[in-house]
Amino acid sequence: MPTAATRMHAMHAMHAMHATATATASTTTSSAGLVAMRLPTSMTSRWLTSAATPTWTSRTAPGIEARAHPSLLSFVEPGPSPLPSPLTLNIIPDFLSQSEHDTLERSASAKLRRLFGRREPYREAHFDSVITGYKEAMVSAWTSRAAMGDEEDADAVNDVLVRVRAAVTDWAAPGSQISWTPPHVLDMRDGNSGIRAHVDYVEASGSIIAGVCLVSPSVIVFRNKDDPERDYFRILLPPRCLYMQADNVRYQYSHEIPMTDDPNHSFRGEFIPRGRRISIMMRDKLIVRPRTQSD
């Protein structure tokens, strides 16, 4: 059985990955230089926190839009405003074979059981109220044969993660060497689960976020932090796909997954039923920009 300390370590490892907080006024600025802005509807997070003066450093190379999968726009539903330019987003459908998908789902589920116990229920509220109905963990030792207890599955999962990193690198910055944070496993339950609008914490990782999607389809809504009511778009993520976001989509747009029974969990006018969903998230490490006299 996992100890209380093990569970607490797994929870604390995730706290730096989210950037939603409660504030008291739409223009409140904290001592950490964060500005809270009101989002438009009750279906999204009430408050969105983002860096007031972003100082992020991009890893991506010119021509990123041309390197996207040719079917990308089949999985994108524009809103009232034009899509971001450049559109630093990519979706590769059928990235996993069905066998790879099943192995990854089985291994991720087993890892969460080892961390939290078989009887641990899904959590109702995230520490910052971003996620409902979830289990999550950073899994730095996930793919070791000793940790998994199944050499064949360990090798298969490692192979998938190597291929994910290679695909993301080929899209974002071909030929470069990217350092990665440990994989992040997020398990959302079947029914009454969702993720409110947020921007992943800018001090915890770099300019690239990627995810392998398992079990059921999901819809992600992106909203421009400066105009969330009019500048938004949706993407559809089928099981077995790999999706990626970077730069302006990662920093300028919040992202959310509507609750399972929310009519907003739709794509091109059709409600998309969502059951249990697992995602395996990969993020590049933060590039620390040297301070200058103007900082």
Side-chain angles (χ1 to χ4, degrees):
M1 288 291 291
T3 65
T6 301
R7 293 193 188 95
M8 189 62 68
H9 177 75
M11 292 171 59
H12 286 173
M14 300 313 309
H15 285 188
M17 287 300 176
H18 304 281
T20 301
T22 301
T24 57
S26 60
T27 57
T28 299
T29 302
S30 73
S31 59
L34 301 178
V35 175
M37 298 177 293
R38 187 158 183 117
L39 285 180
T41 73
S42 60
M43 309 311 294
T44 58
S45 176
R46 184 179 180 189
W47 300 99
L48 172 68
T49 303
S50 63
T53 53
T55 57
W56 54 272
T57 301
S58 172
R59 290 186 187 273
T60 61
I64 190 171
E65 286 185 296
R67 294 190 295 273
H69 193 274
S71 68
L72 169 63
L73 293 182
S74 300
F75 299 94
V76 178
E77 178 187 354
S81 298
L83 291 170
S85 181
L87 182 61
T88 51
L89 181 76
N90 195 14
I91 299 171
I92 303 178
D94 300 323
F95 180 80
L96 300 178
S97 68
Q98 190 62 52
S99 176
E100 289 173 324
H101 169 280
D102 295 346
T103 298
L104 207 56
E105 184 277 327
R106 180 172 63 248
S107 300
S109 298
K111 178 63 175 180
L112 292 174
R113 284 195 300 270
R114 288 195 296 272
L115 284 173
F116 296 107
R118 291 182 176 273
R119 298 183 179 180
E120 179 79 7
Y122 285 91
R123 300 184 183 277
E124 296 300 327
H126 197 258
F127 77 99
D128 56 8
S129 300
V130 171
I131 314 176
T132 299
Y134 74 100
K135 297 178 183 179
E136 65 176 352
M138 302 292 285
V139 286
S140 56
W142 176 27
T143 57
S144 71
R145 293 183 174 188
M148 292 185 68
D150 186 312
E151 293 186 2
E152 186 174 344
D153 276 4
D155 290 343
V157 171
N158 267 314
D159 289 345
V160 168
L161 296 182
V162 168
R163 199 155 59 85
V164 167
R165 296 182 184 108
V168 177
T169 301
D170 287 346
W171 169 69
S176 67
Q177 296 291 324
I178 297 178
S179 297
W180 300 93
T181 63
H184 166 201
V185 177
L186 175 61
D187 180 353
M188 298 171 63
R189 71 183 167 204
D190 181 2
N192 193 31
S193 63
I195 303 177
R196 295 171 179 82
H198 70 287
V199 173
D200 283 17
Y201 186 42
V202 300
E203 300 299 330
S205 64
S207 64
I208 301 169
I209 301 172
V212 177
C213 304
L214 309 176
V215 187
S216 70
S218 61
V219 174
I220 296 183
V221 183
F222 290 86
R223 298 182 185 274
N224 190 322
K225 297 185 300 180
D226 295 333
D227 192 6
E229 294 185 64
R230 293 182 297 179
D231 189 353
Y232 62 85
F233 63 95
R234 289 180 171 87
I235 64 173
L236 175 65
L237 300 179
R240 301 192 292 116
C241 81
L242 169 64
Y243 96 96
M244 319 166 204
Q245 56 169 293
D247 293 358
N248 61 328
V249 174
R250 186 261 195 263
Y251 292 104
Q252 184 60 33
Y253 285 75
S254 68
H255 57 279
E256 64 196 86
I257 297 180
M259 297 290 285
T260 45
D261 59 351
D262 184 345
N264 284 324
H265 197 267
S266 63
F267 185 76
R268 297 182 178 173
E270 180 181 350
F271 178 74
I272 304 298
R274 174 168 57 81
R276 183 186 181 217
R277 175 183 187 265
I278 297 177
S279 57
I280 313 298
M281 308 300 298
M282 305 291 292
R283 299 172 175 88
D284 67 319
K285 290 184 178 179
L286 182 69
I287 297 176
V288 179
R289 181 176 63 86
R291 290 186 173 273
T292 65
Q293 291 183 349
S294 60
D295 288 345

